[in-house]
Amino acid sequence: KAGVTQTPRYLIKTRGQQVTLSCSPISGHRSVSWYQQTPGQGLQFLFEYFSETQRNKGNFPGRFSGRQFSNSRSEMNVSTLELGDSALYLCASSPGWGHEQYFGPGTRLTVT
Amino acid sequence: GNSVTQMEGPVTLSEEAFLTINCTYTATGYPSLFWYVQYPGEGLQLLLKATKADDKGSNKGFEATYRKETTSFHLEKGSVQVSDSAVYFCALPINAGGTSYGKLTFGQGTILTVHP
């Protein structure tokens, strides 16, 4: 089976712009979660989606949003980018409740 | 919610040395516990897990035992290799009850460097 794929792998944006990141889960997986990884804050949970419904949301401002499509693919959007949004954004998928997550390689976002 | 504390500071070892990375947790109930590994330029890979007290998770020579008395889940390996150089994260579900693995809290990560 193909693993979790994330596109793009690298992205450079300017402050104030918005960005959309994409995640394709492992075939058959219906749960997708997003995490932000920074040197200062470490790994922090952003959202969890299951069957197109947001099940959990982390402690991030409203500029961070996401969605999941009927084929389980997920996108996250960050509007009005700030320098502090520079991070590695990781997506993880799992079959569902009680199953461990499988992570993608991440999207490295740099905000200048 | 649940939380995890992981030993900070990089760990540098010679090949074939013994490895211990400490992890302690605070949780309601007895959630599953995980160790993830991140190799340079890659995402996280599940290294091992334990789902109940006294369980021992193991994989690739690494082991960790779920100890409820000391609320710990320390990672050990008897003889490390250069290829084990990576960042290691201890993790558990954020929510009390701990069965939603889609919402994890992670330790700060421990950088392991193994020299030949």
Side-chain angles (χ1 to χ4, degrees), chain A residues 9 33 35 37 39-43 45 48 55-57 88 90 97-101 103-105, chain B residues 34 36 38 41-46 49 87 89 94-95 99-108:
Chain A
R9 290 293 310 276
S33 296
Y35 295 84
Q37 185 177 23
Q41 298 298 316
L43 279 152
F45 171 79
E48 179 191 10
R55 251 194 343 204
N56 287 295
K57 188 177 193 301
L88 181 66
L90 292 164
W97 194 267
H99 293 270
E100 57 261 30
Q101 298 183 290
F103 282 79
Chain B
F34 304 91
Y36 280 87
Q38 186 175 34
E42 298 184 14
L44 276 69
Q45 297 177 24
L46 178 64
K49 69 174 184 179
V87 184
F89 295 91
I94 293 175
N95 290 333
T99 53
S100 175
Y101 300 166
K103 186 179 178 184
L104 299 176
T105 183
F106 290 84
Q108 282 298 102

Side-chain angles (χ1 to χ4, degrees), chain A residues 72-88:
Chain A
S72 294
R73 190 177 70 84
S74 178
E75 289 181 347
M76 67 163 283
N77 184 78
V78 188
S79 62
T80 320
L81 284 166
E82 300 177 359
L83 296 178
D85 297 333
S86 294
L88 181 66

Side-chain angles (χ1 to χ4, degrees), chain B residues 72-83:
Chain B
S72 64
F73 192 54
H74 305 322
L75 182 68
E76 297 181 335
K77 187 174 186 182
S79 176
V80 294
Q81 305 300 312
V82 172
S83 57

Side-chain angles (χ1 to χ4, degrees), chain A residues 21-91:
Chain A
L21 312 181
S22 181
C23 171
S24 293
I26 292 171
S27 177
H29 286 193
R30 296 168 65 189
S31 173
V32 172
S33 296
W34 289 88
Y35 295 84
Q36 181 195 65
Q37 185 177 23
T38 60
Q41 298 298 316
L43 279 152
Q44 293 187 286
F45 171 79
L46 278 159
F47 330 95
E48 179 191 10
Y49 288 89
F50 183 82
S51 294
E52 302 179 67
T53 301
Q54 186 178 87
R55 251 194 343 204
N56 287 295
K57 188 177 193 301
N59 189 24
F60 279 81
R63 300 184 297 107
F64 290 81
S65 62
R67 58 179 176 168
Q68 186 181 32
F69 301 95
S70 59
N71 61 359
S72 294
R73 190 177 70 84
S74 178
E75 289 181 347
M76 67 163 283
N77 184 78
V78 188
S79 62
T80 320
L81 284 166
E82 300 177 359
L83 296 178
D85 297 333
S86 294
L88 181 66
Y89 290 88
L90 292 164
C91 167

